[in-house]
Amino acid sequence: MKSKRQLQKENTKIKIFKTAYNIYSEYGFTATTAMIAKEAGVSHGTIFVHFSSVNELLTCLIESFGDNLALEIHDLAEKNDSIKKLLETHLNILSKHENFYIHLISEKSLIPEDVQMALVNIQSNFAFHFNRIIEREIQRHAVKSIPIHMIFNTWIGLIHYYLLNKDLFSPDEPLLKRYSSELIKTFLELIKD
Amino acid sequence: MKICIACGMPMKELSDFAGEDTSKDYCVHCARPDGSMQSFEERKTNMINFIIKTQGFDEKAATKIAENNMKKLPAWKEYFNIGD
Ligand SMILES: [Zn+2]
């Protein structure tokens, strides 16, 4: 069994993690660890007891979001589900992390390079399952025979365009909540054979 | 749940395992036609080609991504220790 001290330590780590997620979601990646410490009610040094550096904290946050996505997508792909279900799941998870994700893609160049890799890995993992389902659909002539990377990039391009211009498409409410079904419907119509 | 030591894929179904053999530590995608595990170079080339095929990236960028992924996998860790 874990000692009280250990549990306390773990709780502090979770608190820092959650606070960091909220701060970055709200202010983006220029937010400082001082802001996170203040909001979490811990000393600045405490953050670095749990995370060796800002990079480690950022990587942890992005990877945890990626794991979340990977797990749901993997389960879904195994069930041999439809493209529609895959896209819905994708947007559903992005929608849960909408602000965080918008900062991630719009401020990519501000994030340290090794942390950027975590973001690239999320996209690659999604591409793996996307490929599996699209390839099958092309074979059975349900989807146009277009190179898979172009189908994938068209999807990512479409949703990123909307997300990056949230101020224009949906300034006052969550963007994906408002546009998910239209984006999915349109994309499916475009790739249909 | 087992995770493929050569590519990191979760292996849940029998069909995920190389040769449908659950005692194997690597997945169906990381096996050669004869059932043995692909070499470091084979796996790297396959990963790079896969990234290019699915995302259309430049070869140099795809190589960097593949190496970054392999670095974290039990089967290839040792290949990256030199000069680290
Ligand atoms: Zn594998």
Side-chain angles (χ1 to χ4, degrees), chain A residues 19-45:
Chain A
T19 309
Y21 175 82
N22 292 336
I23 292 276
Y24 288 131
S25 298
E26 190 171 348
Y27 302 102
F29 293 101
T30 49
T32 61
T33 44
M35 284 163 82
I36 295 165
K38 196 177 164 216
E39 184 68 30
V42 299
S43 75
H44 192 222

PDB file of all heavy atoms in Angstrom, chain A residues 19-45:
ATOM      1  N   THR A  19      -3.801  21.601 -13.753  1.00  0.00           N
ATOM      2  CA  THR A  19      -3.729  23.058 -13.810  1.00  0.00           C
ATOM      3  C   THR A  19      -2.982  23.507 -15.060  1.00  0.00           C
ATOM      4  O   THR A  19      -3.404  24.444 -15.743  1.00  0.00           O
ATOM      5  CB  THR A  19      -3.029  23.620 -12.550  1.00  0.00           C
ATOM      6  OG1 THR A  19      -3.649  23.058 -11.399  1.00  0.00           O
ATOM      7  CG2 THR A  19      -3.118  25.127 -12.497  1.00  0.00           C
ATOM      8  N   ALA A  20      -1.877  22.834 -15.341  1.00  0.00           N
ATOM      9  CA  ALA A  20      -1.084  23.176 -16.528  1.00  0.00           C
ATOM     10  C   ALA A  20      -1.945  23.034 -17.780  1.00  0.00           C
ATOM     11  O   ALA A  20      -1.932  23.898 -18.664  1.00  0.00           O
ATOM     12  CB  ALA A  20       0.145  22.272 -16.625  1.00  0.00           C
ATOM     13  N   TYR A  21      -2.707  21.952 -17.818  1.00  0.00           N
ATOM     14  CA  TYR A  21      -3.591  21.734 -18.971  1.00  0.00           C
ATOM     15  C   TYR A  21      -4.574  22.905 -19.125  1.00  0.00           C
ATOM     16  O   TYR A  21      -4.760  23.432 -20.219  1.00  0.00           O
ATOM     17  CB  TYR A  21      -4.343  20.403 -18.808  1.00  0.00           C
ATOM     18  CG  TYR A  21      -5.359  20.165 -19.889  1.00  0.00           C
ATOM     19  CD1 TYR A  21      -4.976  19.645 -21.120  1.00  0.00           C
ATOM     20  CD2 TYR A  21      -6.703  20.484 -19.692  1.00  0.00           C
ATOM     21  CE1 TYR A  21      -5.898  19.453 -22.136  1.00  0.00           C
ATOM     22  CE2 TYR A  21      -7.641  20.292 -20.687  1.00  0.00           C
ATOM     23  CZ  TYR A  21      -7.239  19.768 -21.903  1.00  0.00           C
ATOM     24  OH  TYR A  21      -8.164  19.586 -22.901  1.00  0.00           O
ATOM     25  N   ASN A  22      -5.174  23.309 -18.022  1.00  0.00           N
ATOM     26  CA  ASN A  22      -6.139  24.415 -18.072  1.00  0.00           C
ATOM     27  C   ASN A  22      -5.489  25.741 -18.463  1.00  0.00           C
ATOM     28  O   ASN A  22      -6.048  26.500 -19.247  1.00  0.00           O
ATOM     29  CB  ASN A  22      -6.835  24.582 -16.709  1.00  0.00           C
ATOM     30  CG  ASN A  22      -7.750  23.403 -16.414  1.00  0.00           C
ATOM     31  OD1 ASN A  22      -8.213  22.726 -17.332  1.00  0.00           O
ATOM     32  ND2 ASN A  22      -7.992  23.136 -15.139  1.00  0.00           N
ATOM     33  N   ILE A  23      -4.329  25.995 -17.893  1.00  0.00           N
ATOM     34  CA  ILE A  23      -3.625  27.254 -18.195  1.00  0.00           C
ATOM     35  C   ILE A  23      -3.229  27.307 -19.676  1.00  0.00           C
ATOM     36  O   ILE A  23      -3.453  28.303 -20.357  1.00  0.00           O
ATOM     37  CB  ILE A  23      -2.371  27.398 -17.283  1.00  0.00           C
ATOM     38  CG1 ILE A  23      -2.789  27.600 -15.822  1.00  0.00           C
ATOM     39  CG2 ILE A  23      -1.460  28.527 -17.785  1.00  0.00           C
ATOM     40  CD1 ILE A  23      -3.112  29.022 -15.414  1.00  0.00           C
ATOM     41  N   TYR A  24      -2.651  26.228 -20.165  1.00  0.00           N
ATOM     42  CA  TYR A  24      -2.248  26.207 -21.580  1.00  0.00           C
ATOM     43  C   TYR A  24      -3.473  26.296 -22.493  1.00  0.00           C
ATOM     44  O   TYR A  24      -3.430  26.906 -23.556  1.00  0.00           O
ATOM     45  CB  TYR A  24      -1.434  24.951 -21.906  1.00  0.00           C
ATOM     46  CG  TYR A  24      -0.037  24.957 -21.332  1.00  0.00           C
ATOM     47  CD1 TYR A  24       0.456  23.861 -20.617  1.00  0.00           C
ATOM     48  CD2 TYR A  24       0.810  26.055 -21.495  1.00  0.00           C
ATOM     49  CE1 TYR A  24       1.739  23.852 -20.085  1.00  0.00           C
ATOM     50  CE2 TYR A  24       2.085  26.064 -20.969  1.00  0.00           C
ATOM     51  CZ  TYR A  24       2.555  24.962 -20.258  1.00  0.00           C
ATOM     52  OH  TYR A  24       3.818  24.958 -19.742  1.00  0.00           O
ATOM     53  N   SER A  25      -4.558  25.649 -22.085  1.00  0.00           N
ATOM     54  CA  SER A  25      -5.778  25.707 -22.898  1.00  0.00           C
ATOM     55  C   SER A  25      -6.299  27.134 -22.992  1.00  0.00           C
ATOM     56  O   SER A  25      -6.808  27.555 -24.021  1.00  0.00           O
ATOM     57  CB  SER A  25      -6.878  24.827 -22.303  1.00  0.00           C
ATOM     58  OG  SER A  25      -6.470  23.494 -22.280  1.00  0.00           O
ATOM     59  N   GLU A  26      -6.154  27.856 -21.895  1.00  0.00           N
ATOM     60  CA  GLU A  26      -6.687  29.217 -21.892  1.00  0.00           C
ATOM     61  C   GLU A  26      -5.725  30.236 -22.498  1.00  0.00           C
ATOM     62  O   GLU A  26      -6.131  31.062 -23.318  1.00  0.00           O
ATOM     63  CB  GLU A  26      -7.063  29.633 -20.459  1.00  0.00           C
ATOM     64  CG  GLU A  26      -7.831  30.942 -20.455  1.00  0.00           C
ATOM     65  CD  GLU A  26      -8.419  31.276 -19.091  1.00  0.00           C
ATOM     66  OE1 GLU A  26      -8.433  30.388 -18.208  1.00  0.00           O
ATOM     67  OE2 GLU A  26      -8.859  32.431 -18.918  1.00  0.00           O
ATOM     68  N   TYR A  27      -4.449  30.178 -22.097  1.00  0.00           N
ATOM     69  CA  TYR A  27      -3.509  31.224 -22.511  1.00  0.00           C
ATOM     70  C   TYR A  27      -2.546  30.798 -23.611  1.00  0.00           C
ATOM     71  O   TYR A  27      -1.786  31.618 -24.112  1.00  0.00           O
ATOM     72  CB  TYR A  27      -2.698  31.709 -21.299  1.00  0.00           C
ATOM     73  CG  TYR A  27      -3.562  32.238 -20.185  1.00  0.00           C
ATOM     74  CD1 TYR A  27      -3.831  31.460 -19.049  1.00  0.00           C
ATOM     75  CD2 TYR A  27      -4.135  33.516 -20.263  1.00  0.00           C
ATOM     76  CE1 TYR A  27      -4.639  31.937 -18.021  1.00  0.00           C
ATOM     77  CE2 TYR A  27      -4.935  34.005 -19.248  1.00  0.00           C
ATOM     78  CZ  TYR A  27      -5.186  33.213 -18.127  1.00  0.00           C
ATOM     79  OH  TYR A  27      -5.975  33.685 -17.117  1.00  0.00           O
ATOM     80  N   GLY A  28      -2.532  29.533 -23.944  1.00  0.00           N
ATOM     81  CA  GLY A  28      -1.587  29.075 -24.957  1.00  0.00           C
ATOM     82  C   GLY A  28      -0.224  28.778 -24.365  1.00  0.00           C
ATOM     83  O   GLY A  28      -0.021  28.887 -23.149  1.00  0.00           O
ATOM     84  N   PHE A  29       0.717  28.443 -25.234  1.00  0.00           N
ATOM     85  CA  PHE A  29       1.998  27.919 -24.768  1.00  0.00           C
ATOM     86  C   PHE A  29       3.021  28.979 -24.395  1.00  0.00           C
ATOM     87  O   PHE A  29       4.154  28.656 -24.065  1.00  0.00           O
ATOM     88  CB  PHE A  29       2.541  26.922 -25.794  1.00  0.00           C
ATOM     89  CG  PHE A  29       1.675  25.695 -25.847  1.00  0.00           C
ATOM     90  CD1 PHE A  29       0.738  25.522 -26.854  1.00  0.00           C
ATOM     91  CD2 PHE A  29       1.757  24.745 -24.844  1.00  0.00           C
ATOM     92  CE1 PHE A  29      -0.097  24.417 -26.868  1.00  0.00           C
ATOM     93  CE2 PHE A  29       0.933  23.632 -24.846  1.00  0.00           C
ATOM     94  CZ  PHE A  29       0.002  23.465 -25.868  1.00  0.00           C
ATOM     95  N   THR A  30       2.598  30.250 -24.422  1.00  0.00           N
ATOM     96  CA  THR A  30       3.487  31.284 -23.895  1.00  0.00           C
ATOM     97  C   THR A  30       3.273  31.428 -22.386  1.00  0.00           C
ATOM     98  O   THR A  30       4.014  32.146 -21.727  1.00  0.00           O
ATOM     99  CB  THR A  30       3.240  32.645 -24.584  1.00  0.00           C
ATOM    100  OG1 THR A  30       1.834  32.899 -24.574  1.00  0.00           O
ATOM    101  CG2 THR A  30       3.737  32.629 -26.020  1.00  0.00           C
ATOM    102  N   ALA A  31       2.271  30.745 -21.863  1.00  0.00           N
ATOM    103  CA  ALA A  31       2.019  30.776 -20.419  1.00  0.00           C
ATOM    104  C   ALA A  31       3.256  30.251 -19.681  1.00  0.00           C
ATOM    105  O   ALA A  31       3.950  29.363 -20.164  1.00  0.00           O
ATOM    106  CB  ALA A  31       0.806  29.924 -20.078  1.00  0.00           C
ATOM    107  N   THR A  32       3.503  30.810 -18.518  1.00  0.00           N
ATOM    108  CA  THR A  32       4.713  30.444 -17.781  1.00  0.00           C
ATOM    109  C   THR A  32       4.406  29.434 -16.668  1.00  0.00           C
ATOM    110  O   THR A  32       3.253  29.294 -16.249  1.00  0.00           O
ATOM    111  CB  THR A  32       5.339  31.687 -17.115  1.00  0.00           C
ATOM    112  OG1 THR A  32       4.364  32.225 -16.199  1.00  0.00           O
ATOM    113  CG2 THR A  32       5.692  32.733 -18.150  1.00  0.00           C
ATOM    114  N   THR A  33       5.460  28.764 -16.221  1.00  0.00           N
ATOM    115  CA  THR A  33       5.292  27.827 -15.107  1.00  0.00           C
ATOM    116  C   THR A  33       4.935  28.582 -13.821  1.00  0.00           C
ATOM    117  O   THR A  33       4.301  28.023 -12.935  1.00  0.00           O
ATOM    118  CB  THR A  33       6.562  26.980 -14.872  1.00  0.00           C
ATOM    119  OG1 THR A  33       7.696  27.832 -14.949  1.00  0.00           O
ATOM    120  CG2 THR A  33       6.672  25.875 -15.899  1.00  0.00           C
ATOM    121  N   ALA A  34       5.323  29.850 -13.747  1.00  0.00           N
ATOM    122  CA  ALA A  34       4.947  30.663 -12.576  1.00  0.00           C
ATOM    123  C   ALA A  34       3.428  30.804 -12.502  1.00  0.00           C
ATOM    124  O   ALA A  34       2.829  30.726 -11.427  1.00  0.00           O
ATOM    125  CB  ALA A  34       5.616  32.034 -12.658  1.00  0.00           C
ATOM    126  N   MET A  35       2.812  30.991 -13.664  1.00  0.00           N
ATOM    127  CA  MET A  35       1.345  31.080 -13.717  1.00  0.00           C
ATOM    128  C   MET A  35       0.717  29.772 -13.258  1.00  0.00           C
ATOM    129  O   MET A  35      -0.287  29.764 -12.535  1.00  0.00           O
ATOM    130  CB  MET A  35       0.877  31.375 -15.153  1.00  0.00           C
ATOM    131  CG  MET A  35       1.070  32.813 -15.607  1.00  0.00           C
ATOM    132  SD  MET A  35       0.971  32.938 -17.411  1.00  0.00           S
ATOM    133  CE  MET A  35      -0.804  33.001 -17.647  1.00  0.00           C
ATOM    134  N   ILE A  36       1.293  28.675 -13.696  1.00  0.00           N
ATOM    135  CA  ILE A  36       0.765  27.350 -13.332  1.00  0.00           C
ATOM    136  C   ILE A  36       0.892  27.122 -11.828  1.00  0.00           C
ATOM    137  O   ILE A  36      -0.055  26.699 -11.163  1.00  0.00           O
ATOM    138  CB  ILE A  36       1.494  26.233 -14.130  1.00  0.00           C
ATOM    139  CG1 ILE A  36       1.189  26.389 -15.631  1.00  0.00           C
ATOM    140  CG2 ILE A  36       1.078  24.844 -13.641  1.00  0.00           C
ATOM    141  CD1 ILE A  36       2.098  25.601 -16.539  1.00  0.00           C
ATOM    142  N   ALA A  37       2.070  27.458 -11.289  1.00  0.00           N
ATOM    143  CA  ALA A  37       2.301  27.275  -9.855  1.00  0.00           C
ATOM    144  C   ALA A  37       1.303  28.094  -9.031  1.00  0.00           C
ATOM    145  O   ALA A  37       0.702  27.581  -8.081  1.00  0.00           O
ATOM    146  CB  ALA A  37       3.738  27.675  -9.512  1.00  0.00           C
ATOM    147  N   LYS A  38       1.121  29.334  -9.424  1.00  0.00           N
ATOM    148  CA  LYS A  38       0.221  30.230  -8.692  1.00  0.00           C
ATOM    149  C   LYS A  38      -1.207  29.673  -8.688  1.00  0.00           C
ATOM    150  O   LYS A  38      -1.867  29.589  -7.657  1.00  0.00           O
ATOM    151  CB  LYS A  38       0.255  31.616  -9.341  1.00  0.00           C
ATOM    152  CG  LYS A  38      -0.338  32.688  -8.442  1.00  0.00           C
ATOM    153  CD  LYS A  38      -0.233  34.068  -9.070  1.00  0.00           C
ATOM    154  CE  LYS A  38      -1.171  35.019  -8.331  1.00  0.00           C
ATOM    155  NZ  LYS A  38      -1.792  35.996  -9.207  1.00  0.00           N
ATOM    156  N   GLU A  39      -1.661  29.259  -9.866  1.00  0.00           N
ATOM    157  CA  GLU A  39      -3.018  28.740 -10.014  1.00  0.00           C
ATOM    158  C   GLU A  39      -3.205  27.424  -9.244  1.00  0.00           C
ATOM    159  O   GLU A  39      -4.261  27.165  -8.672  1.00  0.00           O
ATOM    160  CB  GLU A  39      -3.314  28.541 -11.511  1.00  0.00           C
ATOM    161  CG  GLU A  39      -4.711  28.094 -11.865  1.00  0.00           C
ATOM    162  CD  GLU A  39      -5.782  29.149 -11.583  1.00  0.00           C
ATOM    163  OE1 GLU A  39      -5.458  30.355 -11.668  1.00  0.00           O
ATOM    164  OE2 GLU A  39      -6.920  28.747 -11.272  1.00  0.00           O
ATOM    165  N   ALA A  40      -2.161  26.594  -9.237  1.00  0.00           N
ATOM    166  CA  ALA A  40      -2.248  25.304  -8.543  1.00  0.00           C
ATOM    167  C   ALA A  40      -2.038  25.452  -7.042  1.00  0.00           C
ATOM    168  O   ALA A  40      -2.249  24.514  -6.272  1.00  0.00           O
ATOM    169  CB  ALA A  40      -1.221  24.333  -9.127  1.00  0.00           C
ATOM    170  N   GLY A  41      -1.603  26.627  -6.636  1.00  0.00           N
ATOM    171  CA  GLY A  41      -1.359  26.870  -5.220  1.00  0.00           C
ATOM    172  C   GLY A  41      -0.146  26.129  -4.676  1.00  0.00           C
ATOM    173  O   GLY A  41      -0.114  25.691  -3.529  1.00  0.00           O
ATOM    174  N   VAL A  42       0.866  25.969  -5.527  1.00  0.00           N
ATOM    175  CA  VAL A  42       2.124  25.347  -5.065  1.00  0.00           C
ATOM    176  C   VAL A  42       3.264  26.321  -5.345  1.00  0.00           C
ATOM    177  O   VAL A  42       3.112  27.270  -6.115  1.00  0.00           O
ATOM    178  CB  VAL A  42       2.406  24.004  -5.789  1.00  0.00           C
ATOM    179  CG1 VAL A  42       1.305  23.000  -5.522  1.00  0.00           C
ATOM    180  CG2 VAL A  42       2.601  24.207  -7.298  1.00  0.00           C
ATOM    181  N   SER A  43       4.399  26.063  -4.710  1.00  0.00           N
ATOM    182  CA  SER A  43       5.551  26.926  -4.988  1.00  0.00           C
ATOM    183  C   SER A  43       6.097  26.592  -6.369  1.00  0.00           C
ATOM    184  O   SER A  43       5.878  25.496  -6.886  1.00  0.00           O
ATOM    185  CB  SER A  43       6.629  26.715  -3.929  1.00  0.00           C
ATOM    186  OG  SER A  43       7.279  25.489  -4.168  1.00  0.00           O
ATOM    187  N   HIS A  44       6.798  27.546  -6.946  1.00  0.00           N
ATOM    188  CA  HIS A  44       7.328  27.352  -8.299  1.00  0.00           C
ATOM    189  C   HIS A  44       8.232  26.123  -8.374  1.00  0.00           C
ATOM    190  O   HIS A  44       8.172  25.330  -9.311  1.00  0.00           O
ATOM    191  CB  HIS A  44       8.080  28.616  -8.733  1.00  0.00           C
ATOM    192  CG  HIS A  44       8.415  28.622 -10.195  1.00  0.00           C
ATOM    193  ND1 HIS A  44       9.616  29.032 -10.667  1.00  0.00           N
ATOM    194  CD2 HIS A  44       7.698  28.228 -11.282  1.00  0.00           C
ATOM    195  CE1 HIS A  44       9.632  28.909 -11.999  1.00  0.00           C
ATOM    196  NE2 HIS A  44       8.474  28.434 -12.387  1.00  0.00           N
ATOM    197  N   GLY A  45       9.042  25.948  -7.335  1.00  0.00           N
ATOM    198  CA  GLY A  45       9.977  24.823  -7.313  1.00  0.00           C
ATOM    199  C   GLY A  45       9.291  23.472  -7.285  1.00  0.00           C
ATOM    200  O   GLY A  45       9.828  22.471  -7.785  1.00  0.00           O
TER     201      GLY A  45
END
